[in-house]
């Protein structure tokens, strides 16, 4: 009589019997889960491949890596067909964590268990990280601002393991467990979020599920309020009066013999007596505003005046940022740079009001969308060095 043993070197009838029974439990007590099958990254177009981003059309699509430098797949392709399999997971309450700055969700990751053989037969392969799961029973049909559309719930698989509870007495696995986290609006899931919401009204899933646009609107309102409260960066020093000093540390006064001063008056105009300061006494982070101290008059332009007098100020507008100079009687000496300006993206580079003009390289370069025609070719003015210095073949 042979020795009794449930284990066999091959999967015997005992394994198949238990596997059918386990699969039946999923069919009875499980829930439908829609699987958006990940089929690999978008490979570069022919002729655009590089060592960092090679064309991997000949490799297994799911195992391809789009960017070998950062080891990430930013542009993912998903099967147009949606697969339905049964899964089981434990429902749990989602709590808000207020112990840190901001608002965080706890218990928003779920572990979903699938039958290994039936899911393989449905998909043609095992579930892998990158597959997106849609839970139809989790639709929110009574959303506050989208009451006419049921909001769907999507999760993306981050890890796949074989649970210990999925092994039967035959020592072979029957189950597979996927660790899932909520899908967010990122570049990886663009294909899924660009799909129609199902209402045949042209609204995509991104319009319903993503909070990106709302976050942008909130951020813009915060910036507008910040611009209202603090119009310019740095520190305001115009309200401070500066008493110029001579070499001895005394108040530097000008010759008052030719000034008409009313002797009966006890009030004397300090600007008529004191010389203009020969240096900036308030030097710090973003303190220069391009305005002379004590409200002294000044001119501006791109060329220094020829008939300047000692102590006169002049703002050169052809410098970036604009630069204030003071004439000491022989030379134009740099006094300060106009660095106090709005540093947000709300500043208008074409505004007529100087207070709204952003005179920074990130405004003139980063936001530069202009093009130039060079040798008959239209070339964008804003280019990275890697492309600007790349040799091009003559046409």
């Amino acid at each position: 009589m042979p020795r009794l043993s449930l284990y066999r070197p091959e999967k015997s009838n005992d394994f198949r019997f238990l596997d059918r029974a386990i699969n039946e439990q999923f069919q009875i007590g499980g829930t439908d889960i829609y699987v958006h099958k990940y089929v690999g990254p978008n490979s570069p177009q022919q002729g655009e491949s590089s060592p960092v981003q090679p064309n991997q059309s000949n490799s297994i699509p799911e195992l391809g890596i789009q960017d070998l430098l950062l080891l990430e797949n930013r542009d993912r392709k998903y099967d147009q067909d949606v697969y339905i399999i049964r899964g089981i997971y434990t429902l749990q309450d989602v709590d808000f964590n207020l112990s840190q700055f901001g608002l965080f969700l706890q218990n928003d990751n779920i572990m979903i268990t699938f039958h290994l053989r039936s899911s393989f037969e449905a998909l043609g392969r095992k579930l892998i990280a990158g597959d997106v799961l849609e839970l139809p029973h989790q639709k929110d049909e009574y959303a506050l601002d989208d009451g006419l559309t049921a909001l769907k719930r999507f999760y993306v698989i981050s890890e796949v393991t074989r649970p210990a509870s999925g092994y039967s007495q035959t020592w072979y696995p029957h189950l597979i467990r996927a660790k899932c986290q909520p899908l967010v609006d990122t570049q990886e899931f663009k294909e899924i979020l660009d799909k129609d919401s199902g209402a045949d009204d042209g609204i995509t899933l991104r319009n319903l599920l993503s909070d990106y646009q709302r976050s942008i609107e909130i951020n813009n309102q915060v910036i507008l309020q910040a611009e209202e409260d603090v119009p310019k960066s740095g520190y305001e020093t115009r309200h401070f009066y500066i008493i110029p000093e001579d070499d001895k540390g005394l108040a530097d006064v000008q010759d008052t013999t030719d000034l008409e001063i009313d002797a009966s008056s006890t009030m004397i105009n300090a600007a008529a007596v004191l010389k203009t300061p020969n240096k900036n006494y308030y030097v710090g982070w973003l303190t220069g505003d391009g305005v002379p101290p004590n409200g002294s008059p000044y001119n501006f332009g791109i060329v220094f005046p020829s008939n300047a007098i000692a102590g006169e100020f002049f703002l050169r507008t052809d410098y970036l940022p604009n630069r204030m100079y003071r004439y000491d009687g022989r030379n134009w000496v740099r006094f300060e740079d106009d660095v106090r300006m709005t540093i947000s993206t709300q500043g208008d580079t074409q505004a007529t009001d100087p207070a709204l003009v952003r005179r920074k390289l990130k405004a003139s370069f980063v936001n530069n969308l202009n093009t130039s025609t060079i040798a008959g070719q239209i070339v964008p003015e804003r280019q990275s060095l890697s492309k600007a210095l790349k040799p091009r073949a003559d046409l």
Side-chain angles (χ1 to χ4, degrees):
M1 182 176 178
R3 184 184 306 172
L4 295 178
S5 175
L6 290 175
Y7 171 76
R8 294 287 188 274
E10 70 284 347
K11 295 179 179 179
S12 61
N13 292 332
D14 293 331
F15 168 81
R16 286 185 283 272
F17 170 77
L18 292 172
D19 193 66
R20 288 193 299 269
I22 294 173
N23 185 32
E24 190 67 20
Q25 294 181 15
F26 278 81
Q27 299 303 318
I28 297 174
T31 179
D32 281 343
I33 294 180
Y34 301 157
V35 180
H36 299 264
K37 182 180 176 181
Y38 172 64
V39 295
N42 280 321
S43 298
Q45 299 295 329
Q46 190 69 25
E48 296 182 359
S49 59
S50 64
V52 176
Q53 195 178 30
N55 190 311
Q56 305 179 47
S57 58
N58 297 326
S59 62
I60 300 176
E62 290 88 347
L63 301 182
I65 301 177
Q66 181 186 13
D67 193 331
L68 295 179
L69 178 62
L70 301 178
L71 294 179
E72 61 183 13
N73 297 329
R74 294 182 297 273
D75 302 307
R76 300 182 181 181
K77 295 171 55 179
Y78 286 88
D79 198 329
Q80 296 300 318
D81 298 328
V82 179
Y83 302 85
I84 303 177
I85 59 178
R86 284 296 180 101
I88 296 176
Y89 70 99
T90 302
L91 292 171
Q92 54 188 354
D93 293 326
V94 178
D95 300 326
F96 291 99
N97 182 11
L98 302 178
S99 60
Q100 303 178 14
F101 292 104
L103 188 64
F104 297 91
L105 289 176
Q106 292 188 145
N107 305 328
D108 55 343
N109 294 342
I110 58 177
M111 307 290 291
I112 306 180
T113 304
F114 302 92
H115 185 245
L116 179 58
R117 178 182 55 82
S118 61
S119 62
F120 178 86
E121 293 176 351
L123 297 176
R125 60 163 173 78
K126 292 197 304 181
L127 290 165
I128 62 174
D131 289 339
V132 174
L133 308 180
E134 179 183 349
L135 307 183
H137 69 284
Q138 289 280 17
K139 287 184 178 180
D140 188 357
E141 300 176 350
Y142 307 102
L144 180 61
D145 53 350
D146 299 288
L148 300 179
T149 305
L151 301 183
K152 300 179 181 180
R153 186 68 60 86
F154 289 86
Y155 287 86
V156 57
I157 297 178
S158 58
E159 296 179 15
V160 177
T161 58
R162 293 186 295 185
S165 59
Y167 288 80
S168 65
Q169 293 84 349
T170 62
W171 291 89
Y172 288 107
H174 300 268
L175 305 179
I176 188 171
R177 177 178 294 170
K179 180 180 179 181
C180 308
Q181 55 190 12
L183 183 142
V184 294
D185 183 8
T186 57
Q187 183 178 350
E188 292 89 338
F189 313 111
K190 181 179 183 297
E191 280 196 5
I192 295 179
L193 294 175
D194 285 342
K195 292 183 178 180
D196 188 80
S197 62
D200 296 329
D201 53 2
I203 298 178
T204 63
L205 291 173
R206 176 177 285 104
N207 299 126
L208 298 178
L209 302 179
S210 175
D211 58 353
Y212 172 80
Q213 191 59 38
R214 295 176 184 173
S215 299
I216 292 297
E217 293 175 359
I218 294 174
N219 184 72
N220 290 338
Q221 293 298 323
V222 172
I223 293 178
L224 290 176
Q225 185 62 42
E227 294 287 352
E228 182 69 22
D229 296 340
V230 185
K232 290 187 176 181
S233 59
Y235 297 93
E236 181 64 54
T237 59
R238 295 188 189 183
H239 57 287
F240 296 125
Y241 193 86
I242 301 177
I243 299 179
E245 297 179 353
D246 55 14
D247 298 337
K248 299 179 180 180
L250 302 176
D252 192 4
V253 298
Q254 55 185 335
D255 188 3
T256 60
T257 56
D258 297 332
L259 295 178
E260 296 181 0
I261 301 177
D262 188 359
S264 62
S265 175
T266 58
M267 303 296 293
I268 299 178
N269 188 358
V273 177
L274 298 177
K275 293 182 178 181
T276 58
N278 57 7
K279 66 177 181 178
N280 188 6
Y281 289 89
Y282 295 100
V283 179
W285 184 75
L286 297 180
T287 56
D289 52 13
V291 177
N294 304 340
S296 301
Y298 70 100
N299 295 319
F300 62 91
I302 61 174
V303 179
F304 289 118
S306 57
N307 54 350
I309 61 175
E312 181 179 347
F313 288 96
F314 189 83
L315 181 67
R316 287 289 296 264
T317 56
D318 55 337
Y319 285 74
L320 182 66
N322 295 345
R323 179 166 295 177
M324 175 65 66
Y325 285 88
R326 181 182 180 274
Y327 190 64
D328 63 358
R330 293 182 300 176
N331 301 312
W332 287 97
V333 181
R334 172 185 172 183
F335 191 82
E336 67 178 11
D337 291 339
D338 182 11
V339 294
R340 291 204 65 226
M341 62 192 73
T342 173
I343 58 175
S344 71
T345 57
Q346 301 297 323
D348 186 2
T349 58
Q350 305 298 328
T352 57
D353 185 359
L356 298 178
V357 178
R358 297 173 63 232
R359 296 174 297 275
K360 284 186 176 294
L361 290 178
K362 72 176 183 179
S364 60
F365 175 76
V366 177
N367 299 326
N368 183 15
L369 301 179
N370 300 328
T371 58
S372 299
T373 302
I374 303 176
Q377 297 184 4
I378 299 178
V379 180
E381 294 182 358
R382 183 186 64 185
Q383 292 192 21
S384 59
L385 290 178
S386 60
K387 293 184 178 180
L389 300 179
K390 185 177 180 179
R392 296 181 176 87
D394 297 333
L395 297 178

